[in-house]
Amino acid sequence: MYRYDQYDQQIVDERVAQFRDQTRRFLAGELSEDEFRPLRLMNGLYLQRHAPMLRVAIPYGLLSAAQLRMLAHIAGKYDKGYGHFSTRQNIQFNWPKLETVPDILADLASVEMHAIQTSGNCIRNITSDHFAGVAADELEDPRPYCEIIRQWSTFHPEFSFLPRKFKIAVSGADNDRAAVQVHDIGIYLVKGEKDEIGFKILVGGGLGRTPFIGVCIREFLEKQHLLSYLEAILRVYNRLGRRDNMYKARIKILVNAVGAERFAEMVEKEWRRIKDSALLLDQKEIERVKGYFIEPDYAGDAGADASFAGRLEAQKDFAAWVKRNVKEHKAVGYRSVYVSLKHPASPPGDATDEQMSFIADLAERYSHSEIRVTHDQNLVLPHVKQADLYPLWAALKEKRLATPNIGLLTDMICCPGLDFCNLANAGSIDISKQINERFTELDYLHDIGDFQIKMSGCMNACGHHHVGHIGILGVDKKGEEFYQLTLGGSAGSHARLGDRLGPAIPKPDVAETIDKILQVYLDEREGDEQFLETYLRVGMVPFKARVYAPEPGAGREVEVLAGH
Amino acid sequence: MEDSWQRIAAVEPQQTLPDGDVIIPFACWIDNQEQLSQHNGKIAVCLNGDDNLEDLSNTLHLFELIALEFPDFRDGRSYSHAQLLRDQFNFSGELRAVGDVLRDQLFFMQRCGIDSFQVREDKDPEDALKGLSDFTVKYQTAADGAPPVYKYR
């Protein structure tokens, strides 16, 4: 993984000193709340419902064991003993005291981490495929480009006060596991006409109040032009993006207003002017950064192990875990292992300090000291020998980290909701509990197969509800929690926004409604069709009919309340 | 600091400008160029984020100072204006930040080519200047001419 040199270290150290002084000036009354707010936000610090929330950057979701251990230390020392992994591959702490944040940042800097630009109207953490570098379906490892973009965007002087936040994702695989098409800029590594590898550039994707799938403005960009092209896009956006209304300030609104073609023309015009300037990326630098992402030393004989097959045969619950939580790997005899943070008894994406230290130990022992954070809020141990899968499973199980539900209905994406967030209308965590309590039959869940529920407590869509197979959005109706459902969304290579099911559902009925939707799917599916395929074939009508059918005699209030 | 410039934030029709060096809104200069040629003193223009930089490009040589307005420090358009004035239009005169100009943004402003700062009145300018040295390492190139840090690696 990337390691800091003196320059990288100097920047995070200087940032700690700067923020320590900003906090001091705020506490001394030299900075007003209004003046301090953007400064603390650019350091990931929110003042929330109960206490500040600090979001720490995990660049493209990659962590070393030492870094994860530090996150555990921070959760234990400054927080209430847990952290929440977010859909942007970051981690959030919900209880630190403002006065201690400079110390937390200093602790982070000691393991080459920071909270720079994890919030605010600037370029945020660059996200990527959690299987980058180990995926069998990968054209090229996207992480070196993520790191190059990370450095370029860090304290970019021109783009630190954009109209709104700005998210960039990069993927190098056939299967998009990074939701690239719903980012402000989405980047795919692709082959050009002469088989050389470059970038395909999308702009204007995003969720929130006005969701859009990104549009391609350049089919192929040579690698050395990556930064000049990004700079051209950002400059057009910084100058022309709306600043009068924060809900219309994202680049997607600009792209939609001027049209993708016109937007692309403006970008290309600016890009032609600057492409051969100092922004031209040195091949040497690309090679230098690539050098940090070389393969670990895989054992050549890992595939010779026979114990794994025996265990699979002998132990049904191990086999069920392998089926869902263990994925193919490009190296023979190796697998990638999901550590499920979706245990029914804890909020989706949360991990305790004890669990984090434990996973760090396991990563050292079984996975070349490396951990990945996924955008669906689980962790991955990316380099595990097949012979180690059994002891790893046994260890994970002990700490409730081996729930065999990856990709299943209970592997929900969920924002922190009302429990923590100032913006939320709804208690996403309560709903996830309700769903977990209703769907306990693992066989049933396996039968349903790949199924994504994505849940946001408000329109800002932190839980990506628009791109869930079932999306759940919390809405407030006269002080009561209701839930708006959408069907048929997808964040993958064929990204698609979900369609609105109908009137919002009262809180106690959410799990039951999901059950009805599943029943329709099971009735309608042909062969081994997945939910999304069935939905695209049969459409909304049968789902709507079942969910909103008046129940005989029960006098259900769904329709009545929905009119409010 | 010694400064001969007087900023006129808005010019009413028929208003006569005070003698001496003045900074007037760009839109006002566009509308009254002929009349302004009689002005007794130097003229500079102040650009805000709504102004079209390209309208200025043919007349840049007339100005030894251009002011860039930050009506609110969160409005980042003038950073791009500064960058373009230096990098695209090769403006070599003084670029002055005016408006909501505060210590914690000075580092960014300087990197985009702004070389003088009219710090907001209620703030101590000496304290604000400390912001210029917040960082010694610059990851990316910008109008200040710094190469990306990787060139040193």
Side-chain angles (χ1 to χ4, degrees):
Chain A
M1 64 188 293
Y2 187 74
R3 297 305 310 263
Y4 283 7
D5 65 8
Q6 52 175 340
Y7 300 112
D8 303 299
Q9 190 64 47
Q10 179 116 1
I11 283 188
V12 296
D13 290 345
E14 288 175 351
R15 172 55 144 193
V16 174
Q18 182 198 40
F19 191 70
R20 195 179 287 285
D21 190 57
Q22 288 169 345
T23 306
R24 180 196 63 73
R25 283 186 279 143
F26 171 66
L27 293 171
E30 293 170 34
L31 278 174
S32 71
E33 173 53 40
D34 272 358
E35 288 160 8
F36 186 53
R37 188 184 307 115
L39 304 180
R40 65 173 162 74
L41 286 177
M42 278 171 77
N43 237 319
L45 184 64
Y46 291 72
L47 295 179
Q48 291 282 44
R49 205 171 280 269
H50 303 291
M53 183 273 275
L54 178 68
R55 184 182 293 145
V56 173
I58 302 176
Y60 34 95
L62 181 57
L63 281 173
S64 69
Q67 289 174 328
L68 183 56
R69 205 169 277 122
M70 178 55 81
L71 295 176
H73 166 78
I74 289 167
K77 180 168 176 189
Y78 304 99
D79 203 290
K80 294 188 178 178
Y82 65 95
H84 174 78
F85 289 96
S86 80
T87 54
R88 304 217 67 256
Q89 301 179 298
N90 291 321
I91 187 168
Q92 302 181 173
F93 296 107
N94 281 301
W95 305 96
K97 288 194 180 58
L98 172 61
E99 296 76 5
T100 66
V101 171
D103 295 334
I104 299 177
L105 296 182
D107 283 355
L108 288 170
S110 75
V111 291
E112 305 177 8
M113 292 186 83
H114 59 77
I116 295 166
Q117 291 168 210
T118 54
S119 183
N121 294 337
C122 48
I123 301 169
R124 304 287 190 88
N125 186 29
I126 314 302
T127 56
S128 188
D129 184 351
H130 49 262
F131 289 142
V134 297
D137 67 342
E138 189 169 85
L139 183 63
E140 191 183 323
D141 189 343
R143 292 171 301 170
Y145 308 101
C146 293
E147 178 58 30
I148 287 168
I149 298 170
R150 183 191 77 80
Q151 297 191 13
W152 163 79
S153 63
T154 298
F155 302 132
H156 197 297
E158 189 181 344
F159 307 133
S160 288
F161 293 91
L162 295 169
R164 198 75 178 85
K165 59 186 167 184
F166 204 91
K167 301 174 181 177
I168 302 176
V170 190
S171 167
D174 290 343
N175 286 306
D176 180 352
R177 288 172 287 263
V180 166
Q181 298 180 30
V182 293
H183 282 75
D184 296 284
I185 293 179
I187 302 175
Y188 288 119
L189 281 147
V190 292
K191 266 194 183 158
E193 281 169 5
K194 287 171 237 147
D195 261 13
E196 76 284 29
I197 297 176
F199 307 106
K200 176 176 174 173
I201 310 281
L202 285 72
V203 294
L207 300 174
R209 282 168 200 244
T210 323
F212 283 106
I213 303 293
V215 289
C216 175
I217 58 165
R218 189 165 246 277
E219 289 290 343
F220 188 82
L221 179 74
E222 293 170 313
K223 284 179 178 172
Q224 70 265 31
H225 296 310
L226 177 63
L227 299 183
S228 55
Y229 207 81
L230 295 181
E231 187 135 329
I233 295 172
L234 266 298
R235 184 163 298 139
V236 170
Y237 169 58
N238 189 43
R239 295 184 70 190
L240 300 180
R242 284 182 63 171
R243 291 176 186 265
D244 58 328
N245 179 343
M246 70 176 283
Y247 299 115
K248 298 192 167 162
R250 295 285 290 271
I251 194 174
K252 61 192 174 184
I253 305 289
L254 174 64
V255 171
N256 201 51
V258 303
E261 216 168 296
R262 173 83 189 106
F263 184 84
E265 276 169 26
M266 290 191 281
V267 169
E268 292 276 330
K269 185 175 170 215
E270 177 63 8
W271 176 64
R272 281 193 298 274
R273 185 180 76 76
I274 60 176
K275 73 189 183 67
D276 297 314
S277 68
L279 288 160
L280 190 71
L281 200 48
D282 277 2
Q283 184 59 32
K284 242 174 66 192
E285 172 65 359
I286 296 178
E287 295 305 327
R288 183 188 76 89
V289 179
K290 269 187 170 178
Y292 287 103
F293 296 96
I294 48 171
E295 284 179 8
D297 218 353
Y298 293 124
D301 60 351
D305 156 77
S307 67
F308 173 54
R311 292 289 191 182
L312 272 184
E313 190 78 25
Q315 207 157 331
K316 216 180 135 201
D317 47 353
F318 174 61
W321 175 77
V322 169
K323 186 177 168 194
R324 293 310 317 186
N325 295 23
V326 174
K327 302 292 166 188
E328 289 306 307
H329 197 284
K330 68 176 186 186
V332 178
Y334 279 81
R335 301 286 191 283
S336 294
V337 173
Y338 276 100
V339 177
S340 173
L341 299 182
K342 309 294 175 68
H343 188 277
S346 50
D350 278 13
T352 65
D353 54 344
E354 192 201 349
Q355 285 175 325
M356 286 189 258
S357 304
F358 188 73
I359 296 165
D361 292 346
L362 292 176
E364 271 170 358
R365 195 146 155 208
Y366 297 121
S367 182
H368 291 272
S369 297
E370 208 182 295
I371 304 103
R372 311 284 179 85
V373 183
T374 79
H375 92 273
D376 28 27
Q377 302 178 292
N378 291 301
L379 301 180
V380 163
L381 298 175
H383 319 281
V384 182
K385 275 190 210 167
Q386 65 183 44
D388 291 335
L389 288 170
Y390 186 79
L392 174 60
W393 169 71
L396 288 170
K397 224 163 90 112
E398 247 176 70
K399 302 285 180 200
R400 306 205 300 192
L401 294 165
T403 314
N405 64 347
I406 297 302
L408 296 180
L409 182 142
T410 53
D411 183 11
M412 288 169 272
I413 289 191
C414 184
C415 73
L418 262 185
D419 298 79
F420 298 104
C421 178
N422 275 340
L423 305 169
N425 295 316
S428 328
I429 293 175
D430 277 354
I431 297 293
S432 78
K433 238 187 242 165
Q434 195 189 107
I435 293 171
N436 267 307
E437 280 161 12
R438 184 165 189 115
F439 300 99
T440 50
E441 275 301 313
L442 208 55
D443 288 344
Y444 180 64
L445 296 179
H446 277 281
D447 182 36
I448 292 163
D450 284 339
F451 198 89
Q452 295 167 347
I453 293 183
K454 302 190 177 189
M455 193 167 8
S456 308
C458 76
M459 306 269 273
N460 293 306
C462 297
H464 295 187
H465 64 276
H466 300 292
V467 289
H469 297 163
I470 292 183
I472 305 178
L473 165 66
V475 291
D476 175 277
K477 295 198 177 189
K478 298 190 173 161
E480 272 187 76
E481 290 176 38
F482 274 71
Y483 292 85
Q484 174 66 63
L485 269 55
T486 47
L487 300 185
S490 166
S493 307
H494 303 283
R496 185 178 188 283
L497 301 172
D499 308 309
R500 200 165 160 268
L501 175 67
I505 308 289
K507 185 171 183 179
D509 297 348
V510 174
E512 191 188 319
T513 305
I514 291 171
D515 208 3
K516 286 178 184 167
I517 292 166
L518 293 175
Q519 290 305 325
V520 175
Y521 159 59
L522 294 176
D523 291 350
E524 298 280 347
R525 80 170 161 192
E526 290 178 355
D528 54 3
E529 229 174 26
Q530 298 288 302
F531 173 81
L532 199 57
E533 297 166 301
T534 306
Y535 172 77
L536 292 175
R537 185 172 52 77
V538 304
M540 180 63 85
V541 174
F543 293 97
K544 211 171 179 131
R546 183 83 58 100
V547 169
Y548 297 105
E551 286 187 19
R556 303 211 41 91
E557 293 178 7
V558 176
E559 297 280 18
V560 184
L561 282 165
H564 285 240
Chain B
M1 262 162 280
E2 284 298 312
D3 184 29
S4 67
W5 294 97
Q6 189 180 352
R7 185 174 167 215
I8 316 288
V11 184
E12 303 299 326
Q14 313 305 323
Q15 180 186 342
T16 43
L17 293 173
D19 282 350
D21 302 341
V22 291
I23 303 173
I24 60 171
F26 177 58
C28 165
W29 183 80
I30 288 275
D31 294 344
N32 304 291
Q33 287 183 51
E34 211 166 298
Q35 191 189 334
L36 287 167
S37 60
Q38 310 297 317
H39 175 69
N40 186 17
K42 288 185 279 194
I43 290 190
V45 289
C46 177
L47 280 175
N48 67 37
D50 290 329
D51 289 325
N52 187 9
L53 195 59
E54 286 72 10
D55 292 346
L56 181 66
S57 54
N58 294 328
T59 47
L60 278 177
H61 59 278
L62 299 175
F63 305 108
E64 63 182 69
L65 180 152
I66 293 173
L68 296 170
E69 190 182 9
F70 292 83
D72 176 313
F73 73 90
R74 282 160 288 228
D75 182 344
R77 291 177 292 182
S78 287
Y79 293 103
S80 284
H81 280 172
Q83 173 75 28
L84 288 168
L85 280 167
R86 294 296 190 209
D87 180 50
Q88 181 177 6
F89 299 119
N90 299 315
F91 179 70
S92 57
E94 179 178 338
L95 279 184
R96 177 179 297 190
V98 300
D100 201 12
V101 178
L102 305 172
R103 167 175 167 170
D104 296 285
Q105 285 77 50
L106 256 51
F107 176 78
F108 295 135
M109 290 177 180
Q110 173 184 246
R111 292 222 56 208
C112 290
I114 293 173
D115 50 6
S116 73
F117 310 92
Q118 191 178 329
V119 176
R120 206 175 75 192
E121 266 180 14
D122 60 323
K123 299 285 183 184
D124 173 8
E126 288 303 318
D127 178 66
L129 288 176
K130 291 181 193 160
L132 292 174
S133 48
D134 276 347
F135 296 98
T136 55
V137 178
K138 298 155 185 172
Y139 268 133
Q140 62 294 93
T141 183
D144 62 353
V149 75
Y150 71 74
K151 298 274 185 193
Y152 300 110
R153 284 174 157 152

